[in-house]
Amino acid sequence: MTHTQIVIFGTGEQAMRAYYVLREEYEIMYFLDNSRSGQYFYGKKTEAPNEENTAQYYIVVCTNMKNYVEIAKQLKTYGLAELKDFCHMEAFGKKIVVVHGNCHMRILKAYMKTSEIF
């Protein structure tokens, strides 16, 4: 999945770092933030998220994981799907493996951490 135009959700320190890294390869269309609508961040408009502005581009959520969980819930209420329509900044641009299991997961996790493939 290739995205050349993206939206960053967040206007904090993590969004600032992501902006400098991502702007080299992606066109950042605007920022989303629940509390800074109407302001500008790095010359880009900041909008409050809604069904219309969240459906236009892939969203990279640049917050801590606690806030990410809440934002993911919010984005899902707009009909968006995690990984298909949005993801956390740590997952963006990376291949993702989802493994579901039981007590053997610890062994698989240890293996994947030592494997060059993962």
Side-chain angles (χ1 to χ4, degrees), residues 50-77:
N50 58 48
E51 281 192 46
E52 292 177 18
N53 64 16
T54 57
Q56 296 176 20
Y57 303 102
Y58 195 84
I59 301 169
V60 181
V61 182
C62 299
T63 64
N64 61 40
M65 286 309 290
K66 180 181 175 186
N67 290 339
Y68 175 76
V69 171
E70 294 304 314
I71 290 168
K73 287 178 190 177
Q74 178 184 5
L75 294 175
K76 288 175 185 178
T77 67

Side-chain angles (χ1 to χ4, degrees), residues 19-20 28-31 39-46:
Y19 171 79
Y20 281 109
I28 299 165
M29 304 306 292
Y30 48 87
F31 288 86
Q39 298 180 22
Y40 285 83
F41 193 70
Y42 290 101
K44 303 283 183 179
K45 188 174 181 182
T46 302

Side-chain angles (χ1 to χ4, degrees), residues 6-8 18-19 22-23 26-31 44:
I6 62 170
V7 170
I8 294 179
Y19 171 79
L22 297 175
R23 72 181 180 159
Y26 302 93
E27 182 180 0
I28 299 165
M29 304 306 292
Y30 48 87
F31 288 86
K44 303 283 183 179

Side-chain angles (χ1 to χ4, degrees), residues 3-115:
H3 307 284
T4 56
Q5 297 176 320
I6 62 170
V7 170
I8 294 179
F9 196 123
T11 56
E13 184 178 326
Q14 292 179 353
M16 177 187 70
R17 286 194 308 255
Y19 171 79
Y20 281 109
V21 171
L22 297 175
R23 72 181 180 159
E24 298 296 323
E25 194 171 340
Y26 302 93
E27 182 180 0
I28 299 165
M29 304 306 292
Y30 48 87
F31 288 86
L32 295 172
D33 196 292
N34 286 312
S35 60
R36 298 186 84 181
S37 178
Q39 298 180 22
Y40 285 83
F41 193 70
Y42 290 101
K44 303 283 183 179
K45 188 174 181 182
T46 302
E47 300 181 12
N50 58 48
E51 281 192 46
E52 292 177 18
N53 64 16
T54 57
Q56 296 176 20
Y57 303 102
Y58 195 84
I59 301 169
V60 181
V61 182
C62 299
T63 64
N64 61 40
M65 286 309 290
K66 180 181 175 186
N67 290 339
Y68 175 76
V69 171
E70 294 304 314
I71 290 168
K73 287 178 190 177
Q74 178 184 5
L75 294 175
K76 288 175 185 178
T77 67
Y78 302 139
L80 302 180
E82 192 169 15
L83 302 179
K84 179 181 173 274
D85 301 310
F86 70 91
C87 72
H88 189 265
M89 66 181 183
E90 296 297 328
F92 184 65
K94 296 179 182 174
K95 294 180 181 180
I96 297 173
V97 174
V98 178
V99 181
H100 178 72
N102 52 24
C103 59
H104 302 289
M105 294 306 299
R106 189 172 42 123
I107 296 166
L108 288 172
K109 181 180 178 181
Y111 169 74
M112 289 192 299
K113 282 188 169 185
T114 62
S115 172

